[in-house]
Amino acid sequence: MNRTIEIAPVRKSVLVDASPPQAFAVFTSGINRWWPKSHGIGAGPIRESVIEPLVGGRWFTRHEDGNDVVIGHVRVWQPAERLVFSWEISSEWKPDPRPEFTSEVEVRFTAEAGGRTRVDLEHRNFERLGAAAGEKLRKDVDGGWPHLLDLYAKDASRKETKS
C-alpha cells in the first residue's frame, strides 16, 4: 500500500513600514542588503545575493571564489503582490535542483493601514524530500525564517530605503 505523506508548511508573517511596491522591491532587488552573508550553501563566503526579476529567473548567491550557487528559481513574479520561488536546497543544506525534491516558498505583500505592508511567507512541499528529510528541512527553516524576516523588516522599514 502506497501512503502519501504530508508535512505542514511553515508560515511566518511580518509587518513592515513600507508600501507593497517598496516591500516587494526590498525583498527582491534589495536582498543583497538584508540577506546575511553567512547564510549560503556555497564553498566560499557570499559576495552578493541576487534574485533575477522574471519568471524563470534565478535566486542565487555569488561567492568570493567566483562561483554562483542557485538557491531556487522564480515561479511567480507579481511585483507589489506576490513572489513564488523553488527552494532547491536539500535537508543537508546542499544544492539539489531536481524538481521532484524541491520545496517552494511563496511571499505575499498586502497593504495595511498607515502605508504599511503585511508580508506573509509560506514555505511548503517538504514532503517531496521524503518523510525524514522533509521534517528536518521543515524544522530548520521554521527556526530560520523568523530571523531572516526580522532582518528584512528592519531593512524594508528604514526611511532611507524608500524612493
Side-chain angles (χ1 to χ4, degrees):
M1 175 172 150
N2 238 353
R3 204 174 111 221
T4 303
I5 63 165
E6 288 188 31
I7 300 173
V10 167
R11 292 185 178 104
K12 305 294 179 190
S13 295
V14 66
L15 195 60
V16 298
D17 185 20
S19 67
Q22 181 64 28
F24 185 91
V26 171
F27 197 97
T28 57
S29 62
I31 195 166
N32 191 51
R33 288 194 311 265
W34 62 268
W35 190 268
K37 302 295 187 237
S38 59
H39 282 54
I41 57 171
I46 294 176
R47 192 177 77 219
E48 180 182 25
S49 295
V50 177
I51 296 176
E52 296 172 330
L54 68 155
V55 172
R58 299 173 301 156
W59 173 9
F60 67 95
T61 51
R62 181 160 287 137
H63 295 259
E64 290 180 5
D65 62 8
N67 289 318
D68 290 351
V69 177
V70 174
I71 293 160
H73 286 86
V74 175
R75 293 180 172 168
V76 175
W77 182 266
Q78 295 174 318
E81 295 176 21
R82 184 170 165 244
L83 171 70
V84 180
F85 53 88
S86 57
W87 183 264
E88 299 172 13
I89 301 172
S90 75
S91 64
E92 300 304 316
W93 294 95
K94 304 285 183 210
D96 189 349
R98 299 175 294 172
E100 65 271 22
F101 293 103
T102 62
S103 56
E104 181 176 80
V105 178
E106 178 174 3
V107 187
R108 291 187 172 269
F109 302 84
T110 306
E112 294 283 327
R116 296 166 54 160
T117 300
R118 187 181 75 245
V119 180
D120 297 305
L121 180 141
E122 180 178 277
H123 194 150
R124 58 187 176 232
N125 298 334
F126 300 107
E127 56 277 352
R128 291 180 177 170
L129 285 81
E135 287 290 352
K136 180 187 181 306
L137 183 60
R138 186 200 185 281
K139 180 178 182 261
D140 289 348
V141 300
D142 190 42
W145 278 119
H147 172 66
L148 294 168
L149 287 176
D150 184 54
L151 294 172
Y152 158 73
K154 286 177 182 167
D155 192 65
S157 295
R158 285 187 1 214
K159 298 301 179 200
E160 57 269 23
T161 64
K162 297 186 177 182
S163 316

